[in-house]
Amino acid sequence: MQHELIDVLIVEDEHALAQLHAELIGKHPRLRLVGIASSLADAKIMLDSMQPQLVLLDNYLPDGKGITLISDTQIIRANCSVIFITAASDMDTCSQAIRNGAFDYILKPVSWKRLSQSLERFVQFADQQRVWKIVDQQNVDSLYQLQAKNYRQDNGSKGIEENTLALVQKLFADAAERCFSVDEVVSETGLSKTTTRRYLEHCVEAGFLVVEMQYGKIGHPRRMYRRVAA
Amino acid sequence: MKVSFQIKLFISLVLFFSGLFVLLGVYYYKDVGRQLYQEMSARAKIQAEEIAIIPNLRQSVANKDIRAIAQFMHKVVAHSDASFIVIGDDKGLHLFHSVHSDVVGKTLIGGDNAEVLQGKSTTTIRKGGLGISLRSKAPIFDDTGHVVGIVSVGYLTSYLDTITLGKVINIFIAAVLLLVALFVFSWFFTRSIKKQIFSLEPREIGLLVRQQKAMMESIYEGVIAIDSELRIEVINQAARKLLGLSQPTRALRGQTIAEVIAPVPFFARKVMLENDTHDEICRFNQLTVIASRVRIMLENKLQGWVITFRDRNEIDSLSAQLSQVKRYVDNLRIMRHEQLNRMATLSGLLHMERYDDAIRYIQAQSEHAQELLDFISSHFSSPTLCGLLLGKAARAREKGVELAFDPSCRMDRPSRALGEAELISIIGNLLDNAIEATQRAELPHEPVEVLILQHEHELIIEVADRGVGITPEIREHIFERGITTKRRGDHGIGLYLIANYVAHVGGSIEVSANEPRGTIFSLFIPETGNVLRPVPTLEDQNYAT
């Protein structure tokens, strides 16, 4: 059950590269290579006959673009996921791939580490999917949202440093009732405006500060920050 | 085998005239024969009648004095060109025969004497003793009026034919001379024709005419040919269409150019005589065209001009396309150059067996883009937004501007207040403005900082550039319609739209100057909006760390 193999199809016209992908898949205990297609036409035929669960799809093929396969009915019907591979100069196509719900997007030259991680994640995803299906059919929908989620390199990263945060918070603690504008905080702390905004909003979210709108005579209302009354 | 037009023309000329001559000759021959017979029968008749009234002879015949008759008749015969002269008596017996004197006393041959003996003159063609002859017989009367004898004057047909033949031979010689003249004439005539039509076959000429017409009509450019008097000779469909002429080509032919196109220096006679032009921009009837003019010279004589022209707008769009293609080619060249550099670096590293460096070097090529891709796709759940940000980042990179996404960026669910289209429009406009402002600032170009952060109660969008900033005089009006600092593009509608969307959902916008220069746009859009909904815990679990 847990050790069911996942069928993978490689669509790549560069023979050497396809072989490397194949090797990588061959090394993985849970993946099974079912074929290598070197053109769109071949890919369509193989999709039909092999019914793979995952396709490593290169964008530049001799008879067209790989991106056209993503929205192909065969892929959608076969419930097959796509790891889309394209050149770094081709970001537009990537955004299209994202919109079409590719499982992952990898830029050439391919980083093997990155590709391995991607494959690993797919295996987990597939397992999870199976578990979900068994446990509760209803939750499949919410799981599908995971498909479009890429792994997070550093989930906790919010760009907030303790020292800086302390500096900002100290300012408000010292003048409890006072409303500060961003500019005032900037002149007090010496931080840049954008950084200041990050910390202030972080404090708002954390419940340390509140926002008050100040309606002046001219222009737009200004956003002021004040310490939450303890 | 194909016979050339010249030969064909020559042969047909000769055949036609030869036929004509033959017909004429035959007719003439017949006619001459007929005339001769008439003439001869008249001669024979007159001679016979004249002989018949000679008194001496009448006497001699009445007396049947054969000797006297012969004596007298020999004198007459000597003066006549007749083939024979015969005298017979009233019984139809010979009294005299100019050729065969031995027939005297025998019956006249021919059996046409009855009428004559009754007193009539006759002219007949009969076979007589000498062969076929034309003869005239006249009766000889005595003083009392009784027929006493017959005079027959005859001409043999063989003799007549000899005369005719002589005439025909003369005619034939004349005809041959004529034919020779005809040959010579035909030869020179066809040769001169051939010269004039450049040795072309008539079929080829027809084809050429049709080809020319087809060619003229298939040309995309307007073509007008005018003669040396500035009259239109040829004008094609395209020219009529471009100039907006409704009359048919036939009607235009022969009109002067000034009647069709309002006079411009381009068509001034003096200018046209002096030089040809190529791709000159001028106006034909309110239409700006690019026109060329070429003089047509034949045998060092000016025959006229050919003017070709086309709509300038087309040329403009073409040149725009061309420059785009050129840019693209340049980009490709640069990219190829970069690629070669990379290959060179790589081969150097491999040669020096610095494999780790080589791998790192290769990874670095896609690393940045991959990181951006991974960052965007992991921090924003909306594929449309991901697409927009990736597209803008790539476009900005092409323009030499970096988009720096704040690490705290996060947007895990659709905005509760704003529709996706509005959100895209807002972010897209802000980024465009920031990129453009950065581009217009002097180098080095600082990155544009982007923060899109969805808190529980608010969605914060902040775009900060270190570009040229907003001039003080329009600072208060930037959200009004039609205010723009851009040299091209949306004509000041972007910020106006943004302000509208944000105001509509009860959000706020702050605009401030960045340090040391540039602008910061901060948007705060309420998430709890007017619709306060409890956040499902499941969703929180899903997106929790």
Side-chain angles (χ1 to χ4, degrees), chain B residues 496-538:
Chain B
Y496 164 80
L497 275 181
I498 292 174
N500 250 356
Y501 291 146
V502 175
H504 192 72
V505 297
S508 62
I509 304 180
E510 273 189 35
V511 186
S512 56
N514 202 352
E515 299 296 329
R517 58 174 189 203
T519 319
I520 304 176
F521 278 87
S522 313
L523 277 62
F524 303 92
I525 290 143
E527 270 295 287
T528 43
N530 311 329
V531 204
L532 266 170
R533 284 185 304 180
V535 185
T537 45
L538 174 73

Side-chain angles (χ1 to χ4, degrees), chain A residues 91-92 95 98-99 105-109 111 114 145 150 152 157-158 193-194 197-198 201 205 223, chain B residues 362-363 366 369-370 374 377-378 387 395 406-408 449 451 455-456 458 460 462 510 513 524 543:
Chain A
M91 294 290 265
D92 274 359
S95 61
I98 289 178
R99 276 199 292 275
Y105 339 93
I106 293 179
L107 296 178
K108 282 184 174 183
S111 152
R114 178 73 179 73
Q145 295 193 2
N150 267 316
R152 295 183 176 171
S157 158
K158 293 230 173 131
K193 279 193 186 184
T194 46
R197 177 77 75 191
R198 307 277 180 282
E201 290 301 334
E205 188 62 14
R223 194 176 169 95
Chain B
I362 294 170
Q363 295 296 325
S366 61
Q370 182 77 56
D374 290 344
S377 59
S378 61
R395 202 80 63 248
D406 192 276
S408 64
E449 293 174 70
L451 171 71
H455 281 159
E456 202 178 327
E458 270 185 327
I460 303 164
E462 187 173 86
E510 273 189 35
F524 303 92
Y543 297 110

Side-chain angles (χ1 to χ4, degrees), chain B residues 210-398:
Chain B
R210 283 208 305 275
Q211 259 178 0
Q212 189 208 21
K213 197 170 161 55
M215 211 164 70
M216 281 302 226
E217 294 312 333
S218 62
I219 292 176
Y220 203 66
E221 295 197 345
V223 179
I224 302 177
I226 53 178
D227 63 13
S228 54
E229 299 300 309
L230 308 194
R231 280 190 302 261
I232 295 175
E233 280 180 332
V234 178
I235 179 163
N236 72 347
Q237 184 73 27
R240 284 167 45 218
K241 212 166 97 182
L242 284 170
L243 297 169
L245 301 170
S246 51
Q247 54 267 67
T249 316
R250 275 194 314 277
L252 289 169
R253 207 170 287 149
Q255 287 191 25
T256 61
I257 194 83
E259 290 173 78
V260 176
I261 301 174
V264 280
F266 186 85
F267 289 117
R269 214 192 151 83
K270 193 166 153 291
V271 178
M272 286 172 74
L273 287 169
E274 272 167 10
N275 53 17
D276 297 338
T277 65
H278 182 64
D279 288 351
E280 191 179 307
I281 296 177
C282 55
R283 285 182 80 77
F284 291 179
N285 297 355
Q286 285 83 47
L287 177 79
T288 309
V289 295
I290 297 205
S292 306
R293 190 186 56 229
V294 181
R295 285 168 294 190
I296 304 296
M297 307 295 280
L298 275 182
E299 290 142 13
N300 291 330
K301 256 180 60 197
L302 180 76
Q303 297 289 317
W305 293 268
V306 170
I307 295 120
T308 58
F309 59 96
R310 63 188 311 177
D311 195 342
R312 187 182 155 186
N313 293 339
E314 278 173 25
I315 306 266
D316 285 352
S317 68
L318 273 180
S319 59
Q321 274 178 21
L322 182 67
S323 60
Q324 220 166 18
V325 169
K326 273 185 179 158
R327 258 206 308 279
Y328 184 62
V329 169
D330 280 344
N331 278 346
L332 280 180
R333 201 177 292 126
I334 292 164
M335 277 165 72
R336 181 175 167 275
H337 183 77
E338 284 177 350
Q339 202 61 33
L340 285 173
N341 281 347
R342 288 194 197 115
M343 291 292 271
T345 310
L346 207 49
S347 95
L349 289 173
L350 292 174
H351 264 293
M352 290 186 281
E353 299 182 2
R354 286 161 58 184
Y355 301 132
D356 290 351
D357 287 350
I359 289 171
R360 263 196 295 280
Y361 180 75
I362 294 170
Q363 295 296 325
Q365 299 303 323
S366 61
E367 205 167 29
H368 182 87
Q370 182 77 56
E371 274 171 11
L372 180 71
L373 186 55
D374 290 344
F375 179 89
I376 287 175
S377 59
S378 61
H379 286 69
F380 305 104
S381 64
S382 155
T384 322
L385 180 58
C386 286
L388 173 85
L389 296 175
L390 275 177
K392 291 290 178 202
R395 202 80 63 248
R397 166 104 38 105
E398 280 169 21

